[in-house]
Amino acid sequence: AGTSIARASSDDAAIEGAYRFLRNQNVDTQSIAIAGYNSTLEQVKDTALVLAVQDTTGLAYRHSVCEQLGSAPSANKDKPKAKGRSLFVHSTLMLDANNGHTIGLGNQHYWHRESKVQGNAQEKKMRVRREKESFKWQRNLEQLSERYGSLSNVIDVCDREADSYEYLDYQLTQGHRFVVRAKTDRRLSSTEGKLSEIFNELEPQAHAYVKIAQRGGRKARNARKSGNRMVCWLSHCACREKTP
């Protein structure tokens, strides 16, 4: 993993075999992916508690394949190139919550931006939800639910990009277990006040030590990290209103 086909192959015959496989028009990539998802499914069923970790990766390209990736600029924000284009991949990685071991890939969705979204901020917000890129969080979970049937032993984990009213409402309506890193200081349904006020009153329930390597003039150390206001267990403190 993480190397070219040439480096990953044992000899010239293996390299040629790999390229023939990729060039074969009868190879259905989706069928290969589904076989992997089904293998993960069998292990998830036998695992007491599973974390379904969602995240997006933008793969930037500048060669001929760009012709197939729409007209929107590259996802590389540090070095934007007019000729660059991106393929976006949203993955759900299944982990054993008790030991941190990787079970497998639960689902994956990929797309490219055919063109820039037109309109002002309000017009963009009023688009059909399933047409927005932000729907990726719900799409992956819907596909997991369709494939797995029950998600009773699964906790969905997302970063702050998933902190949107629509996604949180979907999770709560479906009765899923989930964790979303908070971006918005929302009002709460269980009590008066907002999210930040509640977290200021709570004591951390757990902590972990993170090994930080030496860098510059700073010595290597073990840092203690406790749960804080930036992490919201929204399965327990549901947002009450759409606006903060």
Side-chain angles (χ1 to χ4, degrees), residues 60-66 74 79 81-85:
Y61 296 92
R62 293 195 62 202
H63 48 71
S64 59
V65 74
C66 291
S74 172
K79 298 180 179 179
K81 300 293 184 181
K83 296 182 179 179
R85 297 293 182 267

Side-chain angles (χ1 to χ4, degrees), residues 123-187:
E123 290 172 336
K124 292 177 180 179
K125 288 182 180 179
M126 295 302 292
R127 287 177 296 152
V128 177
R129 171 149 172 74
R130 288 184 176 269
E131 295 178 356
K132 300 179 182 179
E133 280 193 8
S134 60
F135 185 70
K136 62 189 178 183
W137 307 96
Q138 182 174 332
R139 178 188 290 107
N140 262 25
L141 204 60
E142 284 182 347
Q143 292 174 346
L144 278 181
S145 182
E146 180 180 348
R147 188 175 299 121
Y148 289 19
S150 172
L151 297 178
S152 59
N153 66 327
V154 175
I155 299 177
D156 188 44
V157 182
C158 307
D159 64 17
R160 65 179 66 189
E161 187 185 353
D163 184 7
S164 67
Y165 178 85
E166 292 84 356
Y167 184 60
L168 303 182
D169 181 64
Y170 164 76
Q171 291 277 43
L172 293 167
T173 300
Q174 297 298 315
H176 293 154
R177 304 165 70 183
F178 64 100
V179 179
V180 173
R181 189 176 186 187
K183 178 178 68 176
T184 304
D185 191 13
R186 300 182 180 277
R187 297 181 185 276

Side-chain angles (χ1 to χ4, degrees), residues 71-122:
S71 60
S74 172
N76 191 332
K77 298 179 180 178
D78 297 327
K79 298 180 179 179
K81 300 293 184 181
K83 296 182 179 179
R85 297 293 182 267
S86 293
L87 177 67
F88 296 91
V89 184
H90 189 75
S91 307
T92 301
L93 188 65
M94 314 301 282
L95 306 175
D96 187 323
N98 291 316
N99 56 31
H101 292 169
T102 300
I103 299 174
L105 190 63
N107 197 65
Q108 193 169 69
H109 170 67
Y110 49 89
W111 72 97
H112 66 271
R113 293 171 179 166
E114 196 64 43
S115 59
K116 288 185 177 181
V117 178
Q118 303 298 318
N120 57 39
Q122 184 60 27

